[in-house]
Amino acid sequence: MSANSTPIHGNYHGYYAKRPAVKDPRLSLLPPELFRGASVLDVGCNEGWVTCEIAQSWGARRVLGVDIDDTLTRLAWKRKRTVWSTQEPTAAVDEKLRPGYFPASFEHSFGPLPIPSARPADKHLFPHNVSFRTADWTNTAIAQDAAGYDVVIAFSLTKWIHLNGGDDALLRFFRRVYDVLTPGGSLVLEPQAWETYAKAKRMDNRLRETAKCLKLRPNDFESLLQEIGFGAAQHLGTTGEGGRWIL
Ligand SMILES: C[S@@+](CC[C@H](N)C(=O)[O-])C[C@H]1O[C@@H](n2cnc3c(N)ncnc32)[C@H](O)[C@@H]1O
């Protein structure tokens, strides 16, 4: 997908440049133990900022970021090198490591630090515990799905799946999440509000046409998820627009 094409999947380039934060405020709403030792899938990872934070600072064992836009996936790999290059150097990366220890100007002036090969003891620590791949995850199974995930993240994603593929695609997405979660696993969902669909669909005729046929609304997602088999939702609060749920 070209960097200049209309971002009909919400595949905005420079998305995080507008939200420069070392810590994503949405992650701070979640119980810290959620990610500890977990295998995590971040669907719609964009340039990988959230994905890298989960891998670096929240104790996840393995984190995979997937995005439909190949240019963004490549920028996510670059983000991993940047995060590695600016973190505090320690012999063993542990609880005390400090992200953003070196200024960004170091990388600009001297280039990113090389990522060393993983020693067996480090393979579940950042930067070795995070990877990225390009896929339309609503419609394509990927090899990593077979092992399952303890946590699936879907931040600011459902509107784009809904407007591109209609109610069917959204249902397919939720069912796929249910299928790949390990028993007791969690979907962390940040659905966009229905009011935000109007602006999004204006960017493309096909989205406008699909929108005319939508029967599901974000307010229906909670009951829909329970019909699929998810447990009761916990509403964890809001930061900026939208609501955060964990299921
Ligand atoms: C608005 S951005 C949100 C980025 C990130 N999740 C966040 O909230 O910080 C939505 C992302 O989802 C991706 N996306 C949309 N549909 C997708 C699909 N079917 N499979 C994988 N990624 C998708 C887009 O390319 C875009 O990067």
Side-chain angles (χ1 to χ4, degrees):
M1 193 165 298
S2 143
N4 297 320
S5 59
T6 309
I8 58 167
H9 297 284
N11 47 322
Y12 300 113
H13 293 237
Y15 189 66
Y16 296 105
K18 293 191 191 130
R19 302 165 175 72
V22 175
K23 296 248 167 227
D24 191 294
R26 296 168 295 184
L27 294 179
S28 304
L29 292 173
L30 307 177
E33 65 279 7
L34 179 71
F35 294 117
R36 214 163 287 140
S39 166
V40 181
L41 172 68
D42 180 16
V43 187
C45 67
N46 197 270
E47 294 177 17
W49 286 44
V50 170
T51 330
C52 284
E53 185 184 330
I54 294 168
Q56 185 191 41
S57 301
W58 293 88
R61 181 168 49 86
R62 183 161 51 92
V63 191
L64 174 66
V66 174
D67 204 282
I68 198 168
D69 182 331
D70 188 48
T71 308
L72 292 173
T73 316
R74 276 188 273 121
L75 289 168
W77 283 107
K78 188 163 180 279
R79 172 72 188 165
K80 166 172 159 167
R81 288 198 304 278
T82 295
V83 173
W84 167 247
S85 301
T86 53
Q87 91 171 20
E88 182 179 20
T90 48
V93 180
D94 59 20
E95 299 287 315
K96 290 190 287 293
L97 89 89
R98 273 182 282 179
Y101 179 78
F102 292 120
S105 58
F106 278 25
E107 191 196 0
H108 292 152
S109 304
F110 306 113
L113 286 178
I115 292 180
S117 335
R119 294 173 300 178
D122 293 344
K123 75 176 185 180
H124 296 309
L125 297 174
F126 186 81
H128 309 295
N129 61 350
V130 60
S131 59
F132 299 94
R133 63 172 296 170
T134 305
D136 171 356
W137 197 81
T138 305
N139 296 302
T140 327
I142 57 174
Q144 290 91 333
D145 294 345
Y149 308 95
D150 304 311
V151 182
V152 175
I153 304 283
F155 280 171
S156 294
L157 172 71
T158 42
K159 172 170 69 181
W160 303 109
I161 293 174
H162 210 181
L163 281 174
N164 277 277
D167 290 344
D168 287 351
L170 195 71
L171 268 167
R172 191 159 57 248
F173 172 72
F174 286 145
R175 288 199 182 110
R176 290 210 58 217
V177 172
Y178 185 79
D179 288 344
V180 299
L181 279 173
T182 52
S186 301
L187 163 64
V188 184
L189 180 64
E190 177 199 27
Q192 295 105 325
W194 177 248
E195 302 75 64
T196 69
Y197 282 49
K199 185 174 170 209
K201 72 187 180 194
R202 277 201 295 273
M203 73 167 88
D204 181 78
N205 268 339
R206 196 176 55 77
L207 299 193
R208 224 187 323 257
E209 287 309 305
T210 310
K212 287 182 190 160
C213 305
L214 299 183
K215 297 210 165 37
L216 293 171
R217 298 288 180 269
N219 284 344
D220 303 327
F221 293 175
E222 198 170 331
S223 50
L224 184 68
L225 287 161
Q226 290 202 23
E227 277 167 37
I228 291 171
F230 287 89
Q234 288 177 46
H235 296 242
L236 295 176
T238 56
T239 61
E241 56 180 60
R244 294 30 167 155
W245 307 347
I246 171 171
L247 293 136

